Amino acid sequence: MGVWPPVVLAPMAGITNAPFRVLCREQGGGLFVCEMITTRALVERNPKTLRMVRFAESESPRSIQLYGVDPDTVGRAARMIAEEDLADHIDLNFGCPVPKVTRRGGGSALPYKRHLLRRILRAAVANAGSLPVTMKMRKGIDDDHLTYLDAGRIAAEEGVAAIALHARTAKQHYGGVADWSAIARLKEAVPEIPVLGNGDIWCADDALRMVAETGCDGVVVGRGCLGRPWLFRDLANAFDGSAERARPTLGEVAAMMARHAEGLVECFDVERYAVADFRKHVGWYLKGFAVGGELRRELASAESLDQLREGLARLDHDQPWPPNTDTPRGKSGERGKVQLPDGWLDDPWDGAVPDDAESDTSGG
């Protein structure tokens, strides 16, 4: 896929901002994608969105994931990225299962509309200039409306450089078990372009197993790296044939937590807001370690860097990396029903853009 190791940090709303990407990138190579950017918000130069596409000086290649439903708007966004040198790579989101996205016909709902998908991919590739355009998708809306094989063929025909498949349906959301056999079927269906697998990679050995079982060309990692930037060091070692794995002490974890929070303060400029944003990471970083409930609550409710540092100093810095932490992290659970525009499933070949399809704000 042109990147070694063949590893991609999945875009995650509220997570994969520049400070977190930098920490992950330091551990090992790959492609580290920013939070999902809405095409309308980008072309309208929404201030928050423009801040979200800022990259640290050390970041190369720079990768932006776009979410859009209107081919014209997607094309304008791709042209803007290329002409203004905002990034080195464009990824298109057809995998987001969040209701506020799917009810507009976007994300994982969109590939059901085959002609609309083709129009969007064609507009992006035509306007991206020399930048590679890739796409990320799911298996489909639900088990009765699978779209990934059709979408893969359309992508290959329209000049998409690589495809990533999260091996769940939109209805599954993040619940159940990822169906890695679907990744193998997609690889067979589009042998001419790289296929990356996504879903249930909690440790580096999972990544090696996915490649061995499916024949995919690389892996996309999302929830598995929450609170664990070291996973990218493990992945680099694994793909280089080394059995060495990162096993940081609680002191090393605490130092990383402090750096993460400090990076957010630099990124957001407002300390109280940045520290509040960091709180969601505390439980992920401390997963498996023996830390008292009171100290955990203190760290997860800190309102300043000093408060956070004070709590981190009271951790048992010599405590070794806990066993059995290569388990699911982050949100999980299945959806009762996927929210879709009225009549969305009536005609899979309808290429019309739904009313009110384009959101004017970025992020999850």
Side-chain angles (χ1 to χ4, degrees):
M1 65 179 221
V3 174
W4 189 262
V7 174
V8 178
L9 166 64
M12 291 180 280
I15 305 288
T16 55
N17 43 39
F20 184 68
R21 295 195 306 268
V22 167
L23 295 180
C24 292
R25 186 184 291 274
E26 287 175 357
Q27 300 296 317
L31 192 64
F32 299 83
V33 188
C34 78
E35 298 171 80
M36 186 175 80
I37 299 300
T38 303
T39 50
R40 176 182 162 191
L42 183 65
V43 300
E44 292 180 356
R45 300 186 179 273
N46 173 283
K48 179 191 172 190
T49 296
L50 292 179
R51 284 195 299 273
M52 290 170 69
V53 299
R54 288 190 310 205
F55 291 86
E57 284 185 20
S58 62
E59 292 191 80
S60 179
R62 302 160 300 162
S63 179
I64 287 179
Q65 188 186 67
L66 294 178
Y67 154 68
V69 181
D70 184 305
D72 293 337
T73 310
V74 173
R76 288 167 60 202
R79 190 181 322 123
M80 178 177 168
I81 291 169
E83 290 180 351
E84 300 183 20
D85 189 29
L86 299 181
D88 307 302
H89 161 245
I90 297 171
D91 187 50
L92 298 175
N93 181 297
F94 301 110
C96 182
V98 174
K100 72 176 182 181
V101 169
T102 59
R103 74 165 61 102
R104 292 172 179 264
S108 52
L110 199 141
Y112 185 74
K113 299 292 193 181
R114 276 69 166 178
H115 287 332
L116 181 57
L117 175 68
R118 187 182 294 278
R119 289 175 58 207
I120 290 172
L121 296 177
R122 184 171 294 177
V125 171
N127 285 280
S130 62
L131 301 185
V133 175
T134 60
M135 66 181 276
K136 186 180 178 194
M137 61 182 179
R138 287 185 172 236
K139 288 171 58 181
I141 292 171
D142 54 34
D143 287 339
D144 294 325
H145 302 90
L146 298 178
T147 54
Y148 69 105
L149 295 177
D150 282 354
R153 289 301 326 153
I154 292 167
E157 291 163 8
E158 293 301 330
V160 168
I163 306 170
L165 176 65
H166 184 161
R168 286 180 169 88
T169 62
K171 184 177 185 296
Q172 280 184 279
H173 209 64
Y174 296 96
V177 177
D179 173 20
W180 289 4
S181 67
I183 300 168
R185 284 192 290 274
L186 179 62
K187 181 61 190 171
E188 290 172 3
V190 287
E192 64 268 49
I193 59 175
V195 170
L196 310 181
N198 176 221
D200 295 350
I201 294 177
W202 309 113
C203 66
D205 292 336
D206 289 339
L208 295 183
R209 189 164 54 85
M210 177 185 278
V211 172
E213 289 183 12
T214 69
C216 67
D217 301 281
V219 298
V220 179
V221 178
R223 295 171 297 152
C225 70
L226 295 173
R228 196 164 54 150
W230 299 272
L231 181 56
F232 290 95
R233 191 192 315 173
D234 290 351
L235 288 161
N237 286 337
F239 280 106
D240 283 334
S242 167
E244 183 183 339
R245 300 293 182 263
R247 294 293 179 260
T249 63
L250 185 50
E252 291 170 310
V253 172
M256 184 70 81
M257 292 171 74
R259 283 191 59 207
H260 191 166
E262 289 158 4
L264 289 170
V265 172
E266 285 180 29
C267 180
F268 293 142
D269 297 327
V270 180
E271 181 175 329
R272 188 184 179 99
Y273 174 74
V275 174
D277 186 76
F278 176 75
R279 292 174 190 160
K280 61 176 171 272
H281 295 273
V282 170
W284 296 323
Y285 274 112
L286 298 182
K287 180 171 179 170
F289 285 104
V291 179
E294 189 179 329
L295 183 50
R296 281 179 183 267
R297 282 190 295 274
E298 193 177 307
L299 288 166
S301 59
E303 295 187 356
S304 68
L305 276 179
D306 284 345
Q307 258 186 298
L308 186 65
R309 291 180 182 127
E310 210 174 278
L312 293 173
R314 287 165 42 212
L315 293 169
D316 173 10
H317 284 205
D318 294 327
Q319 190 178 145
W321 180 259
N324 305 318
T325 54
D326 295 337
T327 53
R329 294 163 174 253
K331 56 194 171 186
S332 61
E334 192 160 317
R335 295 273 164 169
K337 184 183 178 187
V338 182
Q339 299 294 318
L340 299 168
D342 289 342
W344 189 250
L345 298 177
D346 293 350
D347 181 3
W349 302 106
D350 176 18
V353 179
D355 293 336
D356 194 31
E358 289 286 333
S359 172
D360 60 357
T361 57
S362 294

